Amino acid sequence: MLLEQGLGPQPPREVTAPLEIQSLLKALHAARTPLEVRFEERAQTFQSYLVELDTASGMLYIDELIPSVGDKWMTQRESFRVDAWLDGVHLRWQHSDAAQVELDDGAPAFSLPFPTQLTYHQRRGAYRAAVQRSIDTRLELVHSADKRAFAGELLDISVTGCKLRLAGNQLQALQPGERYERSQLQLEDSPLLDVAVEIRHRTYHEAGDETHVGLHFHQPPAVTQRHIERFVTQLQREARRQAREDLF
């Protein structure tokens, strides 16, 4: 299990067991989690996806990079780092030997050997509940220093943070570490809540043309905290009820 609820954030640990690395890569592949690629000595961040795994040969295959200029550096076999976030866990590893290949369906990709070492960092300790599209939620990010504002729906929420869905590619507009101190949160059956949020990470999903933003609630007012806790508890109870029904 990638996330052990209730243990709180854990220090990073280095995973070297081949079976555990394989299991983590399979989870990334199954969830179609975006990968952030950064080349050494280059400031730009690229996105890709894990498109295929070959456990017999110990090879993984990632899609061409977005933006496509990164493919040039990949074919030159420049060293790069991969970052991915899955269920509150930050995964990170290094590569230096990518090869351009063609998959069985003719799609271009890059082949890489499974990493021999992978950093596993559980960043989240609080229970995080998924928020269905049918539930009425909204979070408007408002920056106190300028007129920037973004609004979207919640993908999930915990008592310490949430994930927001925004339309379009917002990777350049939203930077990790930025704080939006005048933001407003709308939960189902609650008043409009004042909240300050800090950007932890963001990924662009090209298929849906939307950006998912991981946010941390920064010292929310007591009334806001109570509404968040009540909403998370409500979602948790509903998830447990549905899980019990699925057993029969």
Side-chain angles (χ1 to χ4, degrees):
M1 186 177 181
L2 290 180
L3 178 60
E4 297 176 6
Q5 303 290 2
L7 293 181
Q10 304 293 308
R13 66 183 179 90
E14 299 303 320
V15 179
T16 56
L19 285 178
E20 186 173 3
I21 290 175
Q22 184 182 119
S23 176
L24 292 168
L25 293 174
K26 282 183 176 179
L28 289 175
H29 181 226
R32 192 159 171 75
T33 300
L35 308 178
E36 286 193 1
V37 175
R38 293 181 177 87
F39 293 92
E40 294 182 7
E41 310 300 328
R42 300 188 186 275
Q44 193 168 6
T45 299
F46 300 87
Q47 181 175 291
S48 184
Y49 290 89
L50 184 53
V51 294
E52 193 173 308
L53 287 172
D54 186 342
T55 55
S57 64
M59 299 296 291
L60 62 88
Y61 299 84
I62 66 171
D63 203 355
E64 293 179 299
L65 301 188
I66 305 170
S68 60
V69 66
D71 293 341
K72 174 184 177 181
W73 300 325
M74 189 76 76
T75 55
Q76 292 174 352
R77 303 204 171 192
E78 293 192 22
S79 298
F80 62 93
R81 188 181 87 185
V82 177
D83 291 87
W85 287 264
L86 183 66
D87 292 334
V89 174
H90 181 191
L91 303 174
R92 182 176 70 248
W93 69 92
Q94 300 283 143
H95 281 297
S96 60
D97 46 6
Q100 196 163 27
V101 298
E102 191 174 279
L103 301 177
D104 292 340
D105 61 1
F110 292 97
S111 67
L112 302 153
F114 282 12
T116 57
Q117 181 172 304
L118 181 151
T119 301
Y120 176 107
H121 189 189
Q122 182 178 308
R123 305 293 295 272
R124 182 197 306 155
Y127 174 82
R128 181 155 293 200
V131 180
Q132 303 300 323
R133 283 182 178 266
S134 59
I135 299 175
D136 186 21
T137 64
R138 181 179 174 84
L139 175 59
E140 184 177 11
L141 304 179
V142 182
H143 202 286
S144 60
D146 54 41
K147 295 183 179 180
R148 278 184 298 162
F150 306 86
E153 301 172 334
L154 297 185
L155 286 160
D156 60 37
I157 187 170
S158 76
V159 295
T160 60
C162 65
K163 185 183 291 183
L164 184 66
R165 178 196 294 112
L166 297 174
N169 186 340
Q170 307 295 345
L171 294 185
Q172 297 303 317
L174 299 170
Q175 297 298 320
E178 283 188 318
R179 191 171 296 169
Y180 286 71
E181 297 180 335
R182 297 171 54 202
S183 300
Q184 293 191 310
L185 175 64
Q186 178 71 65
L187 303 176
E188 190 174 57
D189 299 326
S190 80
L192 198 58
L193 304 170
D194 294 326
V195 63
V197 295
E198 180 180 307
I199 297 174
R200 290 297 173 85
H201 58 83
R202 72 280 187 275
T203 53
Y204 175 61
H205 294 253
E206 185 180 23
D209 187 28
E210 58 188 30
T211 302
H212 295 179
V213 188
L215 301 163
H216 172 71
F217 297 135
H218 180 71
Q219 299 178 349
V223 64
T224 297
Q225 187 68 47
R226 286 195 298 271
H227 279 287
I228 292 172
E229 290 170 357
R230 188 178 301 120
F231 185 62
V232 171
T233 299
Q234 174 187 327
L235 294 176
Q236 187 173 16
R237 286 174 179 165
E238 180 62 19
R240 287 172 176 169
R241 184 188 65 78
Q242 292 181 2
R244 287 196 298 270
E245 291 179 352
D246 288 343
L247 295 175
F248 301 98

